[in-house]
mmCIF file of all heavy atoms in Angstrom:
data_model
loop_
_atom_site.group_PDB
_atom_site.id
_atom_site.type_symbol
_atom_site.label_atom_id
_atom_site.label_comp_id
_atom_site.label_asym_id
_atom_site.label_seq_id
_atom_site.Cartn_x
_atom_site.Cartn_y
_atom_site.Cartn_z
ATOM 1 N N THR A 61 0.826 -1.213 0.000
ATOM 2 C CA THR A 61 0.000 0.000 0.000
ATOM 3 C C THR A 61 0.858 1.260 0.000
ATOM 4 O O THR A 61 0.540 2.244 -0.673
ATOM 5 C CB THR A 61 -0.926 0.006 1.230
ATOM 6 O OG1 THR A 61 -1.744 -1.161 1.200
ATOM 7 C CG2 THR A 61 -1.814 1.241 1.248
ATOM 8 N N GLU A 62 1.964 1.213 0.754
ATOM 9 C CA GLU A 62 2.838 2.389 0.869
ATOM 10 C C GLU A 62 3.893 2.448 -0.233
ATOM 11 O O GLU A 62 4.772 3.312 -0.212
ATOM 12 C CB GLU A 62 3.532 2.380 2.238
ATOM 13 C CG GLU A 62 2.601 2.575 3.416
ATOM 14 C CD GLU A 62 2.161 4.024 3.593
ATOM 15 O OE1 GLU A 62 2.789 4.906 2.961
ATOM 16 O OE2 GLU A 62 1.205 4.273 4.345
ATOM 17 N N LYS A 63 3.847 1.490 -1.187
ATOM 18 C CA LYS A 63 4.768 1.462 -2.324
ATOM 19 C C LYS A 63 6.226 1.330 -1.889
ATOM 20 O O LYS A 63 7.135 1.995 -2.418
ATOM 21 C CB LYS A 63 4.583 2.706 -3.204
ATOM 22 C CG LYS A 63 3.199 2.804 -3.836
ATOM 23 C CD LYS A 63 3.066 4.045 -4.713
ATOM 24 C CE LYS A 63 1.765 4.060 -5.495
ATOM 25 N NZ LYS A 63 0.556 3.944 -4.643
ATOM 26 N N LEU A 64 6.446 0.455 -0.906
ATOM 27 C CA LEU A 64 7.794 0.139 -0.449
ATOM 28 C C LEU A 64 8.245 -1.183 -1.071
ATOM 29 O O LEU A 64 7.410 -2.017 -1.451
ATOM 30 C CB LEU A 64 7.822 0.016 1.078
ATOM 31 C CG LEU A 64 7.517 1.289 1.878
ATOM 32 C CD1 LEU A 64 7.467 0.968 3.370
ATOM 33 C CD2 LEU A 64 8.549 2.362 1.594
ATOM 34 N N PRO A 65 9.565 -1.427 -1.164
ATOM 35 C CA PRO A 65 10.041 -2.710 -1.688
ATOM 36 C C PRO A 65 9.548 -3.868 -0.824
ATOM 37 O O PRO A 65 9.466 -3.732 0.403
ATOM 38 C CB PRO A 65 11.566 -2.575 -1.602
ATOM 39 C CG PRO A 65 11.828 -1.107 -1.568
ATOM 40 C CD PRO A 65 10.655 -0.499 -0.858
ATOM 41 N N PRO A 66 9.214 -5.010 -1.434
ATOM 42 C CA PRO A 66 8.742 -6.156 -0.643
ATOM 43 C C PRO A 66 9.810 -6.619 0.348
ATOM 44 O O PRO A 66 10.963 -6.843 -0.045
ATOM 45 C CB PRO A 66 8.472 -7.235 -1.704
ATOM 46 C CG PRO A 66 8.338 -6.490 -2.989
ATOM 47 C CD PRO A 66 9.227 -5.291 -2.876
ATOM 48 N N PRO A 67 9.485 -6.744 1.636
ATOM 49 C CA PRO A 67 10.470 -7.223 2.622
ATOM 50 C C PRO A 67 10.874 -8.672 2.330
ATOM 51 O O PRO A 67 10.021 -9.515 2.051
ATOM 52 C CB PRO A 67 9.719 -7.117 3.951
ATOM 53 C CG PRO A 67 8.576 -6.190 3.689
ATOM 54 C CD PRO A 67 8.197 -6.394 2.262
ATOM 55 N N LYS A 68 12.179 -8.936 2.412
ATOM 56 C CA LYS A 68 12.687 -10.277 2.101
ATOM 57 C C LYS A 68 13.086 -11.063 3.338
ATOM 58 O O LYS A 68 13.191 -12.289 3.299
ATOM 59 C CB LYS A 68 13.887 -10.164 1.162
ATOM 60 C CG LYS A 68 13.560 -9.525 -0.184
ATOM 61 C CD LYS A 68 14.813 -9.377 -1.033
ATOM 62 C CE LYS A 68 14.495 -8.723 -2.372
ATOM 63 N NZ LYS A 68 15.723 -8.537 -3.195
ATOM 64 N N ASN A 69 13.355 -10.387 4.454
ATOM 65 C CA ASN A 69 13.817 -11.060 5.670
ATOM 66 C C ASN A 69 13.387 -10.234 6.873
ATOM 67 O O ASN A 69 12.708 -9.210 6.740
ATOM 68 C CB ASN A 69 15.340 -11.244 5.634
ATOM 69 C CG ASN A 69 16.053 -9.940 5.272
ATOM 70 O OD1 ASN A 69 15.730 -8.879 5.810
ATOM 71 N ND2 ASN A 69 17.026 -10.014 4.367
ATOM 72 N N ASP A 70 13.782 -10.692 8.063
ATOM 73 C CA ASP A 70 13.371 -9.992 9.288
ATOM 74 C C ASP A 70 13.894 -8.555 9.337
ATOM 75 O O ASP A 70 13.210 -7.659 9.847
ATOM 76 C CB ASP A 70 13.856 -10.754 10.521
ATOM 77 C CG ASP A 70 13.004 -11.970 10.834
ATOM 78 O OD1 ASP A 70 11.973 -12.158 10.145
ATOM 79 O OD2 ASP A 70 13.356 -12.739 11.748
ATOM 80 N N LEU A 71 15.101 -8.338 8.816
ATOM 81 C CA LEU A 71 15.665 -6.987 8.824
ATOM 82 C C LEU A 71 14.841 -6.066 7.927
ATOM 83 O O LEU A 71 14.524 -4.925 8.304
ATOM 84 C CB LEU A 71 17.117 -7.035 8.351
ATOM 85 C CG LEU A 71 17.984 -5.807 8.656
ATOM 86 C CD1 LEU A 71 18.005 -5.519 10.142
ATOM 87 C CD2 LEU A 71 19.398 -6.023 8.133
ATOM 88 N N ASP A 72 14.466 -6.563 6.759
ATOM 89 C CA ASP A 72 13.616 -5.770 5.864
ATOM 90 C C ASP A 72 12.241 -5.535 6.487
ATOM 91 O O ASP A 72 11.657 -4.454 6.353
ATOM 92 C CB ASP A 72 13.445 -6.485 4.520
ATOM 93 C CG ASP A 72 14.701 -6.457 3.669
ATOM 94 O OD1 ASP A 72 15.607 -5.665 3.973
ATOM 95 O OD2 ASP A 72 14.775 -7.230 2.702
ATOM 96 N N LEU A 73 11.703 -6.572 7.149
ATOM 97 C CA LEU A 73 10.395 -6.424 7.808
ATOM 98 C C LEU A 73 10.447 -5.343 8.879
ATOM 99 O O LEU A 73 9.536 -4.513 8.995
ATOM 100 C CB LEU A 73 9.961 -7.756 8.424
ATOM 101 C CG LEU A 73 9.357 -8.795 7.495
ATOM 102 C CD1 LEU A 73 9.247 -10.141 8.210
ATOM 103 C CD2 LEU A 73 7.974 -8.358 7.007
ATOM 104 N N ALA A 74 11.523 -5.361 9.684
ATOM 105 C CA ALA A 74 11.655 -4.359 10.752
ATOM 106 C C ALA A 74 11.757 -2.958 10.174
ATOM 107 O O ALA A 74 11.133 -2.009 10.674
ATOM 108 C CB ALA A 74 12.877 -4.670 11.616
ATOM 109 N N ALA A 75 12.537 -2.801 9.091
ATOM 110 C CA ALA A 75 12.680 -1.484 8.472
ATOM 111 C C ALA A 75 11.353 -1.015 7.890
ATOM 112 O O ALA A 75 10.971 0.156 8.050
ATOM 113 C CB ALA A 75 13.754 -1.537 7.386
ATOM 114 N N ALA A 76 10.633 -1.921 7.216
ATOM 115 C CA ALA A 76 9.338 -1.547 6.635
ATOM 116 C C ALA A 76 8.334 -1.186 7.722
ATOM 117 O O ALA A 76 7.607 -0.187 7.609
ATOM 118 C CB ALA A 76 8.804 -2.692 5.773
ATOM 119 N N ALA A 77 8.277 -1.988 8.783
ATOM 120 C CA ALA A 77 7.345 -1.708 9.877
ATOM 121 C C ALA A 77 7.645 -0.358 10.507
ATOM 122 O O ALA A 77 6.734 0.428 10.808
ATOM 123 C CB ALA A 77 7.416 -2.816 10.927
ATOM 124 N N ALA A 78 8.930 -0.059 10.699
ATOM 125 C CA ALA A 78 9.320 1.216 11.305
ATOM 126 C C ALA A 78 8.940 2.391 10.403
ATOM 127 O O ALA A 78 8.381 3.402 10.868
ATOM 128 C CB ALA A 78 10.825 1.222 11.577
ATOM 129 N N VAL A 79 9.221 2.280 9.117
ATOM 130 C CA VAL A 79 8.918 3.367 8.185
ATOM 131 C C VAL A 79 7.415 3.610 8.106
ATOM 132 O O VAL A 79 6.941 4.757 8.180
ATOM 133 C CB VAL A 79 9.489 3.035 6.787
ATOM 134 C CG1 VAL A 79 8.896 3.967 5.727
ATOM 135 C CG2 VAL A 79 11.009 3.149 6.791
ATOM 136 N N ILE A 80 6.629 2.539 7.970
ATOM 137 C CA ILE A 80 5.178 2.692 7.833
ATOM 138 C C ILE A 80 4.569 3.247 9.117
ATOM 139 O O ILE A 80 3.712 4.136 9.084
ATOM 140 C CB ILE A 80 4.533 1.343 7.456
ATOM 141 C CG1 ILE A 80 5.052 0.866 6.094
ATOM 142 C CG2 ILE A 80 3.011 1.466 7.416
ATOM 143 C CD1 ILE A 80 4.771 -0.589 5.803
ATOM 144 N N ALA A 81 5.009 2.721 10.265
ATOM 145 C CA ALA A 81 4.482 3.205 11.549
ATOM 146 C C ALA A 81 4.792 4.685 11.745
ATOM 147 O O ALA A 81 3.948 5.455 12.223
ATOM 148 C CB ALA A 81 5.068 2.386 12.695
ATOM 149 N N LEU A 82 5.999 5.103 11.358
ATOM 150 C CA LEU A 82 6.370 6.508 11.530
ATOM 151 C C LEU A 82 5.616 7.394 10.542
ATOM 152 O O LEU A 82 5.238 8.529 10.875
ATOM 153 C CB LEU A 82 7.871 6.680 11.381
ATOM 154 C CG LEU A 82 8.436 8.035 11.781
ATOM 155 C CD1 LEU A 82 7.922 8.477 13.146
ATOM 156 C CD2 LEU A 82 9.950 8.013 11.777
ATOM 157 N N ARG A 83 5.386 6.903 9.343
ATOM 158 C CA ARG A 83 4.561 7.664 8.396
ATOM 159 C C ARG A 83 3.179 7.917 8.990
ATOM 160 O O ARG A 83 2.663 9.043 8.940
ATOM 161 C CB ARG A 83 4.428 6.902 7.072
ATOM 162 C CG ARG A 83 5.654 6.923 6.185
ATOM 163 C CD ARG A 83 5.407 6.181 4.887
ATOM 164 N NE ARG A 83 6.554 6.243 3.985
ATOM 165 C CZ ARG A 83 6.560 5.755 2.747
ATOM 166 N NH1 ARG A 83 5.478 5.168 2.266
ATOM 167 N NH2 ARG A 83 7.634 5.858 1.984
ATOM 168 N N ARG A 84 2.567 6.885 9.545
ATOM 169 C CA ARG A 84 1.231 7.036 10.122
ATOM 170 C C ARG A 84 1.253 7.978 11.314
ATOM 171 O O ARG A 84 0.352 8.797 11.499
ATOM 172 C CB ARG A 84 0.687 5.663 10.529
ATOM 173 C CG ARG A 84 0.433 4.716 9.363
ATOM 174 C CD ARG A 84 0.031 3.343 9.875
ATOM 175 N NE ARG A 84 -0.207 2.388 8.797
ATOM 176 C CZ ARG A 84 -0.485 1.100 8.995
ATOM 177 N NH1 ARG A 84 -0.557 0.625 10.247
ATOM 178 N NH2 ARG A 84 -0.690 0.294 7.978
ATOM 179 N N HIS A 85 2.282 7.852 12.139
ATOM 180 C CA HIS A 85 2.416 8.700 13.324
ATOM 181 C C HIS A 85 2.520 10.167 12.909
ATOM 182 O O HIS A 85 1.864 11.037 13.498
ATOM 183 C CB HIS A 85 3.662 8.283 14.098
ATOM 184 C CG HIS A 85 3.900 9.031 15.372
ATOM 185 N ND1 HIS A 85 3.326 8.688 16.564
ATOM 186 C CD2 HIS A 85 4.664 10.129 15.645
ATOM 187 C CE1 HIS A 85 3.714 9.508 17.525
ATOM 188 N NE2 HIS A 85 4.535 10.397 16.981
ATOM 189 N N ALA A 86 3.336 10.452 11.893
ATOM 190 C CA ALA A 86 3.576 11.831 11.488
ATOM 191 C C ALA A 86 2.410 12.406 10.688
ATOM 192 O O ALA A 86 2.114 13.597 10.788
ATOM 193 C CB ALA A 86 4.868 11.912 10.667
ATOM 194 N N ARG A 87 1.751 11.562 9.912
ATOM 195 C CA ARG A 87 0.646 12.054 9.081
ATOM 196 C C ARG A 87 -0.625 12.261 9.882
ATOM 197 O O ARG A 87 -1.520 12.986 9.466
ATOM 198 C CB ARG A 87 0.368 11.065 7.936
ATOM 199 C CG ARG A 87 1.469 11.017 6.898
ATOM 200 C CD ARG A 87 1.094 10.213 5.672
ATOM 201 N NE ARG A 87 0.647 8.871 5.950
ATOM 202 C CZ ARG A 87 1.007 7.809 5.235
ATOM 203 N NH1 ARG A 87 1.841 7.947 4.219
ATOM 204 N NH2 ARG A 87 0.538 6.615 5.522
ATOM 205 N N GLY A 88 -0.746 11.594 11.035
ATOM 206 C CA GLY A 88 -1.926 11.756 11.857
ATOM 207 C C GLY A 88 -2.963 10.678 11.612
ATOM 208 O O GLY A 88 -2.739 9.705 10.889
ATOM 209 N N HIS A 89 -4.129 10.873 12.208
ATOM 210 C CA HIS A 89 -5.172 9.856 12.243
ATOM 211 C C HIS A 89 -6.409 10.337 11.521
ATOM 212 O O HIS A 89 -6.830 11.480 11.657
ATOM 213 C CB HIS A 89 -5.510 9.545 13.716
ATOM 214 C CG HIS A 89 -6.762 8.754 13.898
ATOM 215 N ND1 HIS A 89 -7.956 9.318 14.306
ATOM 216 C CD2 HIS A 89 -7.017 7.442 13.713
ATOM 217 C CE1 HIS A 89 -8.888 8.380 14.381
ATOM 218 N NE2 HIS A 89 -8.343 7.242 14.024
ATOM 219 N N SER A 90 -7.009 9.460 10.718
ATOM 220 C CA SER A 90 -8.272 9.771 10.057
ATOM 221 C C SER A 90 -9.373 8.932 10.690
ATOM 222 O O SER A 90 -9.232 7.717 10.812
ATOM 223 C CB SER A 90 -8.204 9.458 8.559
ATOM 224 O OG SER A 90 -9.479 9.616 7.957
ATOM 225 N N PRO A 91 -10.483 9.549 11.105
ATOM 226 C CA PRO A 91 -11.553 8.789 11.753
ATOM 227 C C PRO A 91 -12.335 7.895 10.797
ATOM 228 O O PRO A 91 -13.126 7.072 11.225
ATOM 229 C CB PRO A 91 -12.453 9.880 12.336
ATOM 230 C CG PRO A 91 -12.190 11.080 11.496
ATOM 231 C CD PRO A 91 -10.753 10.989 11.077
ATOM 232 N N GLY A 92 -12.111 8.046 9.497
ATOM 233 C CA GLY A 92 -12.842 7.212 8.551
ATOM 234 C C GLY A 92 -12.406 7.497 7.133
ATOM 235 O O GLY A 92 -11.711 8.492 6.854
ATOM 236 N N PRO A 93 -12.791 6.620 6.172
ATOM 237 C CA PRO A 93 -12.407 6.806 4.772
ATOM 238 C C PRO A 93 -12.875 8.165 4.240
ATOM 239 O O PRO A 93 -14.024 8.551 4.417
ATOM 240 C CB PRO A 93 -13.125 5.657 4.057
ATOM 241 C CG PRO A 93 -13.368 4.632 5.116
ATOM 242 C CD PRO A 93 -13.594 5.396 6.382
ATOM 243 N N GLY A 94 -11.951 8.876 3.609
ATOM 244 C CA GLY A 94 -12.292 10.155 3.011
ATOM 245 C C GLY A 94 -12.355 11.318 3.975
ATOM 246 O O GLY A 94 -12.549 12.462 3.557
ATOM 247 N N GLN A 95 -12.199 11.049 5.291
ATOM 248 C CA GLN A 95 -12.255 12.127 6.270
ATOM 249 C C GLN A 95 -10.848 12.677 6.518
ATOM 250 O O GLN A 95 -9.857 11.953 6.396
ATOM 251 C CB GLN A 95 -12.872 11.637 7.576
ATOM 252 C CG GLN A 95 -14.324 11.201 7.429
ATOM 253 C CD GLN A 95 -14.993 11.033 8.775
ATOM 254 O OE1 GLN A 95 -14.825 11.851 9.664
ATOM 255 N NE2 GLN A 95 -15.770 9.962 8.915
ATOM 256 N N PRO A 96 -10.727 13.946 6.871
ATOM 257 C CA PRO A 96 -9.406 14.567 7.017
ATOM 258 C C PRO A 96 -8.615 13.977 8.172
ATOM 259 O O PRO A 96 -9.166 13.515 9.166
ATOM 260 C CB PRO A 96 -9.734 16.044 7.272
ATOM 261 C CG PRO A 96 -11.128 16.035 7.812
ATOM 262 C CD PRO A 96 -11.816 14.903 7.128
ATOM 263 N N ARG A 97 -7.292 14.010 8.005
ATOM 264 C CA ARG A 97 -6.400 13.543 9.061
ATOM 265 C C ARG A 97 -6.182 14.650 10.086
ATOM 266 O O ARG A 97 -6.057 15.813 9.725
ATOM 267 C CB ARG A 97 -5.052 13.106 8.484
ATOM 268 C CG ARG A 97 -5.121 11.844 7.643
ATOM 269 C CD ARG A 97 -3.748 11.439 7.138
ATOM 270 N NE ARG A 97 -3.824 10.181 6.418
ATOM 271 C CZ ARG A 97 -3.718 8.983 6.988
ATOM 272 N NH1 ARG A 97 -3.527 8.896 8.289
ATOM 273 N NH2 ARG A 97 -3.801 7.886 6.268
ATOM 274 N N THR A 98 -6.118 14.269 11.340
ATOM 275 C CA THR A 98 -5.816 15.207 12.408
ATOM 276 C C THR A 98 -4.733 14.599 13.297
ATOM 277 O O THR A 98 -4.487 13.397 13.270
ATOM 278 C CB THR A 98 -7.057 15.515 13.260
ATOM 279 O OG1 THR A 98 -7.569 14.285 13.801
ATOM 280 C CG2 THR A 98 -8.137 16.181 12.431
ATOM 281 N N GLY A 99 -4.089 15.449 14.092
ATOM 282 C CA GLY A 99 -3.092 14.950 15.033
ATOM 283 C C GLY A 99 -1.748 14.646 14.431
ATOM 284 O O GLY A 99 -0.953 13.915 15.016
ATOM 285 N N GLY A 100 -1.455 15.194 13.248
ATOM 286 C CA GLY A 100 -0.146 14.969 12.646
ATOM 287 C C GLY A 100 0.974 15.562 13.487
ATOM 288 O O GLY A 100 0.762 16.474 14.291
#
């Protein structure tokens, strides 16, 4: 979904999980589809 390279091993999985989690943390939270993000 985030257009990242497919993780091949645990190290790649950890890097992908960290990047995606931080993207969500920084972008904020949307209460539903199509609704604006808040809390970035």
